[in-house]
């Protein structure tokens, strides 16, 4: 029981690290899009659209990570 709780703690930590990585990629994507817009490569509307797409993709991936964490916690605790 104690070991399983430690494993769940580790799982949550890995999940949080994964979410931080996804957010870092989002930030990088936003920066690239803003630089492209600043250089005249896209309009403000295109930038806003790109930011929305990046945010939706980020939210989707974070939700997937949360689901994986939840499933793995259940698996570890049910053994």
């Amino acid at each position: 029981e104690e070991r399983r709780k430690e494993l769940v703690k580790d799982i949550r930590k890995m999940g949080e690290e994964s979410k931080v990585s996804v957010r870092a990629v989002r930030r990088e994507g936003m920066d690239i899009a803003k630089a492209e817009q600043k250089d005249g490569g896209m309009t403000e509307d295109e930038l806003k659209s790109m930011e929305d797409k990046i945010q939706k993709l980020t939210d989707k991936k974070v939700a997937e990570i949360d689901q994986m964490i939840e499933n793995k916690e259940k698996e570890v605790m049910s053994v």
Side-chain angles (χ1 to χ4, degrees):
E1 179 72 24
E2 182 108 3
R3 177 69 181 136
R4 288 188 209 144
K5 287 182 181 180
E6 286 179 31
L7 288 172
V8 168
K9 189 176 176 182
D10 290 342
I11 290 166
R12 287 182 181 155
K13 183 179 178 188
M14 283 188 266
E16 191 56 42
E17 289 170 359
S18 298
K19 289 191 277 188
V20 168
S21 295
V22 168
R23 291 183 191 121
V25 171
R26 175 193 60 194
R27 188 170 40 256
E28 189 176 312
M30 295 283 201
D31 290 345
I32 291 169
K34 287 177 184 174
E36 181 71 24
Q37 192 266 335
K38 192 174 185 179
D39 292 341
M42 68 172 72
T43 65
E44 274 191 47
D45 289 342
E46 290 172 328
L47 174 64
K48 186 66 177 159
S49 175
M50 185 66 69
E51 288 177 344
D52 288 344
K53 287 178 183 177
I54 292 170
Q55 185 60 49
K56 286 178 184 176
L57 186 58
T58 300
D59 293 342
K60 179 182 173 189
K61 293 302 175 185
V62 167
E64 287 178 16
I65 291 169
D66 286 337
Q67 187 62 47
M68 283 189 255
I69 292 169
E70 186 179 321
N71 292 342
K72 191 51 87 171
E73 285 178 12
K74 287 178 185 176
E75 182 183 327
V76 168
M77 293 308 287
S78 67
V79 174

